[in-house]
Every structure is written in C-alpha cells, then in structure tokens.
Amino acid sequence: MKGWLISNALFILLVIFWSFWHREYSSPAIVVGKTFAVIAVILFIINVNMYFIFLIIRKSKTKGIKKTLALFSRKMMKFHVPIATTATALICIHAIIMISFHPLEIIDIKKLSGILAILILSVHLFSGWLRRKKASGFRRLFHLRMAFIFLTFFLIHIFI
C-alpha cells in the first residue's frame, strides 16, 4: 500500500513539474490555466484510485486490510461525484483559458488532444450519470472503461 501511495505522489509531482517546466509563455492567464489543470488532474487521480481500492478489497486475502479499505471506500464514494464535478469544472475553465489566451492554432496537436480528451470526458460523465440513475453490470463496466480511456487521453494531452 505504501508503494501505491508513493507512486501516486510521484505521478502528481511529475505532472506538476512537467506542467510548469514547459513554460513557453509567461502570461499569467496561461499559468492560471495550467494551475486549474493540475488541480483537476489531482482530483481525477483521486477518483481513479477508487478503482484500485476496490481491486485491493477484492484481491486481498487479509481481512484487516479489506475491512479498513471497505470503510475508507464507503466514506470516499460519498465524494466521488462532487470531486468529479469539481474536476470537470476546472477542466472547462482550463480549456476556456487555454483556447482564449494560448497562441497555438486550433490544428495544433496539443489542442486537438485536449479537445478529444474533453469529448471522451463528456461520454464518461454521461455514463456515470446513467450508472447513477440505474445501475447495471454493463453500465458499470462502460463507466470503468471510459474512465481508463479518458485517463489515457488526458495523459497523452499532458505529455505531448
């Protein structure tokens, strides 16, 4: 479990370092837009980690770990939707700022990957809404798959 927490912390530090190390422009609006994006990434990572907590609960053979993680996940799931809503709002603010103030053209690969990531995010959010409305195995798996597809595309967007 320590390795899992350390790897998450290292990933977040990598995103922060990568976002602010690549400073082509010193505009305060761009810095604010990147800050919103980094906060949103941290929130999305918190939500994605819920899958791994449930995976550890299913796969663990130690009853104490299962019980502790089950209690933690029960408390955390109350915040899953508010965290996702906050992260999505921050991503929308990030997109508006970057499209408005960043001088790259629309056909730039960074902007195109961001637009594609937002489209996938909207499908993912819709699948979460459907799952919340009426849960089924298909809707759970579709929401889970869309989460990892979105994770892949936003990682591509970050590191391009």
Side-chain angles (χ1 to χ4, degrees), residues 8 13 22 26 29 35 44 72 83 91 113 116-117 132 143 147 160:
N8 279 307
L13 289 173
H22 284 86
S26 60
T35 304
F44 279 127
F72 175 74
I83 287 172
I91 288 296
S113 66
L116 185 59
R132 190 171 174 91
H143 185 63
I160 283 184

Side-chain angles (χ1 to χ4, degrees), residues 13-137:
L13 289 173
L14 175 69
V15 168
I16 291 170
F17 174 75
W18 187 269
S19 295
F20 292 104
W21 182 60
H22 284 86
R23 275 192 165 177
E24 303 98 25
Y25 306 98
S26 60
S27 167
I30 300 294
V31 173
V32 168
K34 283 185 174 185
T35 304
F36 281 135
V38 168
I39 295 168
V41 166
I42 293 168
L43 293 175
F44 279 127
I45 294 301
I46 289 169
N47 269 353
V48 167
N49 277 321
M50 289 306 297
Y51 168 75
F52 296 107
I53 290 172
F54 291 135
L55 187 66
I56 292 170
I57 291 170
R58 274 196 312 269
K59 301 284 182 176
S60 178
K61 297 192 189 299
T62 310
K63 192 173 183 176
I65 291 174
K66 284 185 171 194
K67 185 177 179 181
T68 303
L69 288 177
L71 291 172
F72 175 74
S73 66
R74 183 173 290 176
K75 290 177 184 174
M76 254 331 267
M77 281 309 288
K78 292 177 184 175
F79 299 104
H80 182 76
V81 173
I83 287 172
T85 306
T86 304
T88 302
L90 291 173
I91 288 296
C92 290
I93 293 169
H94 163 75
I96 290 167
I97 290 172
M98 295 312 246
I99 288 171
S100 299
F101 293 102
H102 210 279
L104 296 177
E105 281 138 36
I106 194 71
I107 55 171
D108 181 67
I109 191 74
K110 184 82 167 175
K111 278 193 180 179
L112 288 176
S113 66
I115 291 168
L116 185 59
I118 286 177
L119 291 173
I120 293 169
L121 174 62
S122 62
V123 174
H124 173 65
L125 293 174
F126 182 69
S127 71
W129 178 75
L130 285 176
R131 182 167 188 253
R132 190 171 174 91
K133 194 170 180 167
K134 183 179 181 212
S136 70

